Amino acid sequence: MKELAGRLTALDPDAGAAVQVIAYFDRLSESRAGLEALVRGAAVLAGVPARLADAERRVQVRVEADGTRRDTDLPPDPAWPSAALTPGRAPALWLERTEAGPSVVDAVILERAAGAVRLVLDRIRGRAPVDDAALVETVLDATAPDQVRLHAARGLGLDPTAQARALAPRDGRPRIIAAHPDAELPAGRLGVGPAVPVLDLPRSWTEARTALRFTADGTPQDPGQRVVYADALGGVALLAGLVVPGAEPPPDVRDLETAAAATPWLLATLYAVASTASLRAAAAEVNVHHSTLQDRLAHAEHQLGWPVRTPQGRLRLQVALTMRALARP
């Protein structure tokens, strides 16, 4: 192989370099090199950082051109040369080359490295059964021994040294995702727990379920956010402990329900006022003229019995709308 590479280099430098790349990754594969070694090889050969980010198996490895591992939460640049681990799937291996376009050698590095990485992942993790309900429940069970939960996490393809989030969908079936910015969320109403180490996922699950109570359908009759992150609630999360689902709602919530039953536009309009920076922004949100919004708010204040355009009244409205969501069974 060395002799062939030498001859090809004399005729075509790129062809010679490509043969050397192939031989290099063949040697790594034969020695059963791990993921970090393969990504390091890609980075050193290319002379730029290389990154592996396989969302399906929850794997992230980034290595600098000098061979130093340095992971990051920043998403890959779509302009970087990249390769999928499986044909037809999304890119999962990148060379962080910004100064010039991809070369023949880059393409060979990516192709050989991606193939070697795929073999390693299939060997050590297989296809991550990310929807395996039994494994998810084990990971989220605070009473299960740590080693049992770590074993279940590996079965889900989670990296025990990385962070993850618990998800609480409306259907009640828990899910877990890796805590990186481009992680895909399921559709529908969803509470998202904070990013935590794998062994702390029971806490993330508890907070995700609390966050779910703050969500809404996002319709005129149930306005609000469909996805709520627990770590964005702050002190507002304390309201969840004060309002019991299905119990008699607080007086302000009863007033809201009574007024909404007689006025179809009321809830969407009041939510726009409570969640935007100004009345003009609220008018744009519900697609009405500013003067029309003023007329609506005067009508709403008459029905509710308190002002909604003063700072104190707006706060009362925000709390009432939040308690309305929390009071639902």
Side-chain angles (χ1 to χ4, degrees), residues 121-159:
L121 287 173
D122 287 347
R123 183 176 73 242
I124 66 175
R125 298 196 178 188
R127 297 289 178 184
V130 294
D131 291 324
D132 188 314
L135 292 179
V136 171
E137 289 179 7
T138 299
V139 173
L140 299 180
D141 183 0
T143 65
D146 288 356
Q147 289 305 314
V148 172
R149 293 198 288 123
L150 286 173
H151 180 73
R154 293 188 183 96
L156 291 168
L158 294 170
D159 181 353

Side-chain angles (χ1 to χ4, degrees), residues 182-272:
D182 57 347
E184 185 177 352
L185 298 177
R189 281 173 49 187
L190 184 71
V192 183
V196 296
V198 167
L199 288 178
D200 285 342
L201 278 169
R203 174 173 64 84
S204 184
W205 168 236
T206 298
E207 295 187 32
R209 284 181 293 169
T210 297
L212 177 64
R213 294 182 58 198
F214 287 85
T215 65
D217 288 335
T219 64
Q221 296 309 310
D222 190 23
Q225 297 175 286
R226 293 169 63 83
V227 178
V228 172
Y229 284 78
D231 42 14
L233 288 172
V236 176
L238 296 174
L239 286 174
L242 302 177
V243 181
V244 179
E248 180 69 17
D252 282 357
V253 175
R254 294 200 300 270
D255 291 343
L256 273 176
E257 297 290 7
T258 300
T263 311
W265 51 256
L266 185 130
L267 287 174
T269 300
L270 291 181
Y271 179 78

Side-chain angles (χ1 to χ4, degrees), residues 39 49-53 61-63 72 74-76 80 92-96:
V39 178
R51 183 187 307 194
L52 169 65
V61 179
R62 182 180 179 276
V63 179
T72 178
L74 296 176
W80 292 339
L93 184 65
W94 287 265
L95 298 178
E96 298 181 11

Side-chain angles (χ1 to χ4, degrees), residues 236-310:
V236 176
L238 296 174
L239 286 174
L242 302 177
V243 181
V244 179
E248 180 69 17
D252 282 357
V253 175
R254 294 200 300 270
D255 291 343
L256 273 176
E257 297 290 7
T258 300
T263 311
W265 51 256
L266 185 130
L267 287 174
T269 300
L270 291 181
Y271 179 78
V273 170
S275 61
T276 56
S278 68
L279 292 183
R280 291 196 178 276
E285 181 71 19
V286 294
N287 198 30
V288 298
H289 192 271
H290 182 260
S291 61
T292 302
L293 178 70
Q294 294 285 3
D295 291 341
R296 285 189 176 188
L297 294 183
H299 180 74
E301 288 173 339
H302 176 74
Q303 289 183 295
L304 293 173
W306 82 79
V308 298
R309 287 172 284 187
T310 64

